[in-house]
C-alpha cells in the first residue's frame, strides 16, 4: 500500500475515532479541527496525485502518437511502458472517487474491465463511435488500450500487422478521451474544488460533508472495485468457485 494511501486512511481513522466514545459522536464533532486535515489532504495528497496522473497520460499520448507515426517494435514497447506508468498513477487516484471524479465519471472513463472485444472491433471497423457514451464504457480507457497494445496470443511481430490506420486511429482517440476526462478532474481540483472541499459548509461528518464523501468513496472503491473487481470476480467468488481470468484487471499483461 502506497504511503499516501496509509496517510489518507490513518487520517480518516483518526477523525472517526475522535468522534467515538461513550457519548453521541455528533456531540463531539466540533472538538476536531477538520479544516487543516482537509487542506493537507487536498493540497499534499489528492491534487498531486491527479497532477501526476495528468502528466503520465500526457506522456502516454506522446508515446501513442509516436506509435501511430512509426509502428514498430520499439515504439510499441515504449507505448506499453508508458501505459503501465499511467495505470500506476491511476491507482494512486482510484479511491478519490468523489467530487470532480464522480461528476466527470473518472472510473467509468478510465478503468472499466473486462473490455467488450466485439464493441471495440465494431467501433474500429465502422469508424463511427462516441467514446463519451455509456454504451462504449467497456470499449475505452486503459483496459481497451491494453487489449489493443498487447493483443491475444500474438507475437509482437504479428500484433504490429494488426495496427492498421483504423486501429491506430482508435488507439489515439482512446488516449485523447482519457486525457480529456483526467484534465477536467485535475483542473477542477486545482481551480475551485479545493475551496469547496475545505469550506465551512463541507465540514462535519454527514453524508454531504467532505469527510462523508471521502469515506463513502473509499468504502465503495474497496468493496466494489478492489474486493469484487480486482479479487472476488476473477478468483470465482461470484461464479461458484469457477475462476474468471478474463475479468482480471490488466489481464493482457499476465
Amino acid at each position: 500500500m502506497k504511503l499516501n494511501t496509509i496517510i489518507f486512511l490513518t487520517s480518516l481513522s483518526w477523525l472517526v475515532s475522535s468522534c467515538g466514545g461513550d457519548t453521541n459522536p455528533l456531540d463531539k464533532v466540533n472538538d476536531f479541527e477538520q479544516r487543516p486535515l482537509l487542506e493537507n489532504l487536498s493540497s499534499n495528497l489528492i491534487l498531486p496525485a491527479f497532477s501526476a496522473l495528468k502528466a503520465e497520460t500526457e506522456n502516454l499520448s506522446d508515446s501513442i502518437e509516436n506509435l501511430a507515426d512509426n509502428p514498430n517494435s520499439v515504439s510499441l514497447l515504449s507505448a506499453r511502458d508508458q501505459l503501465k506508468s499511467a495505470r500506476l498513477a491511476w491507482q494512486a487516484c482510484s479511491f478519490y472517487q468523489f467530487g470532480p471524479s464522480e461528476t466527470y465519471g473518472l472510473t467509468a472513463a478510465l478503468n472499466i474491465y473486462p473490455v467488450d472485444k466485439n464493441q471495440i472491433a465494431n467501433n474500429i471497423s465502422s469508424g463511427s463511435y462516441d467514446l463519451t457514451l455509456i454504451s462504449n464504457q467497456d470499449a475505452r480507457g486503459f483496459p481497451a488500450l491494453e487489449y489493443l497494445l498487447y493483443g491475444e496470443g500474438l507475437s509482437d511481430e504479428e500484433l504490429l500487422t494488426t495496427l492498421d490506420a483504423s486501429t491506430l486511429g482508435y488507439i489515439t482517440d482512446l488516449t485523447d478521451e482519457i486525457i480529456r476526462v483526467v484534465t477536467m478532474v485535475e483542473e477542477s481540483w486545482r481551480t475551485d474544488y479545493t475551496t469547496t472541499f475545505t469550506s465551512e459548509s463541507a465540514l462535519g461528518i454527514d453524508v454531504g460533508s467532505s469527510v462523508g464523501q471521502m469515506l463513502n468513496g473509499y468504502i465503495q472503491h474497496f468493496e466494489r472495485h478492489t474486493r469484487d473487481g480486482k479479487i472476488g470476480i476473477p478468483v470465482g467468488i461470484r461464479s461458484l468457485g469457477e475462476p474468471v481470468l478474463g475479468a482480471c484487471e490488466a489481464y493482457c499483461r499476465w
Side-chain angles (χ1 to χ4, degrees):
M1 182 178 291
K2 290 181 176 292
L3 179 58
N4 62 347
T5 308
I6 296 173
I7 295 173
F8 176 72
L9 297 179
T10 301
S11 299
L12 292 182
S13 299
W14 179 29
L15 176 57
V16 172
S17 65
S18 73
C19 297
D22 297 330
T23 60
N24 187 336
L26 295 178
D27 294 336
K28 300 187 67 178
V29 170
N30 293 328
D31 290 347
F32 184 86
E33 186 65 29
Q34 288 188 21
R35 184 168 283 117
L37 167 66
L38 297 176
E39 289 174 345
N40 180 62
L41 287 172
S42 60
S43 299
N44 297 321
L45 294 177
I46 301 175
L47 179 56
F50 282 119
S51 296
L53 176 61
K54 181 183 177 184
E56 292 295 352
T57 55
E58 290 172 345
N59 291 338
L60 174 62
S61 178
D62 291 340
S63 68
I64 293 299
E65 182 179 352
N66 184 43
L67 175 65
D69 292 339
N70 306 284
N72 54 53
S73 59
V74 174
S75 59
L76 176 62
L77 291 176
S78 176
R80 287 173 174 174
D81 287 343
Q82 191 52 52
L83 174 59
K84 177 180 178 181
S85 296
R87 295 189 84 167
L88 288 174
W90 155 248
Q91 296 300 322
C93 302
S94 59
F95 48 89
Y96 298 134
Q97 296 312 298
F98 57 89
S101 296
E102 185 177 23
T103 299
Y104 297 114
L106 188 63
T107 297
L110 265 60
N111 203 46
I112 296 298
Y113 58 93
V115 295
D116 186 332
K117 303 171 188 176
N118 292 330
Q119 183 68 23
I120 291 175
N122 290 337
N123 286 346
I124 293 174
S125 62
S126 70
S128 177
Y129 45 83
D130 184 348
L131 294 176
T132 67
L133 297 179
I134 294 177
S135 59
N136 275 319
Q137 71 176 4
D138 49 3
R140 65 186 181 187
F142 294 135
L145 277 177
E146 173 196 13
Y147 171 69
L148 293 171
L149 292 178
Y150 283 86
E152 286 188 307
L154 300 177
S155 67
D156 288 357
E157 291 74 18
E158 292 170 331
L159 177 64
L160 285 167
T161 66
T162 71
L163 298 181
D164 55 17
S166 297
T167 303
L168 288 169
Y170 191 69
I171 289 173
T172 300
D173 289 342
L174 289 173
T175 309
D176 290 344
E177 177 63 9
I178 289 171
I179 291 176
R180 184 186 73 84
V181 180
V182 168
T183 298
M184 289 192 298
V185 174
E186 191 271 344
E187 287 185 349
S188 183
W189 270 101
R190 179 163 45 83
T191 59
D192 55 38
Y193 191 73
T194 295
T195 300
T196 301
F197 185 70
T198 59
S199 66
E200 183 70 26
S201 62
L203 303 181
I205 59 173
D206 63 299
V207 174
S209 68
S210 291
V211 169
Q213 291 186 68
M214 284 192 297
L215 284 172
N216 287 334
Y218 174 74
I219 291 170
Q220 181 186 51
H221 175 74
F222 173 76
E223 293 183 347
R224 179 177 178 184
H225 300 296
T226 300
R227 185 190 64 185
D228 283 0
K230 295 176 185 285
I231 302 172
I233 294 173
V235 303
I237 297 299
R238 304 302 185 192
S239 52
L240 301 177
E242 184 67 28
V244 187
L245 298 183
C248 288
E249 187 178 21
Y251 173 67
C252 294
R253 298 193 62 251
W254 278 34

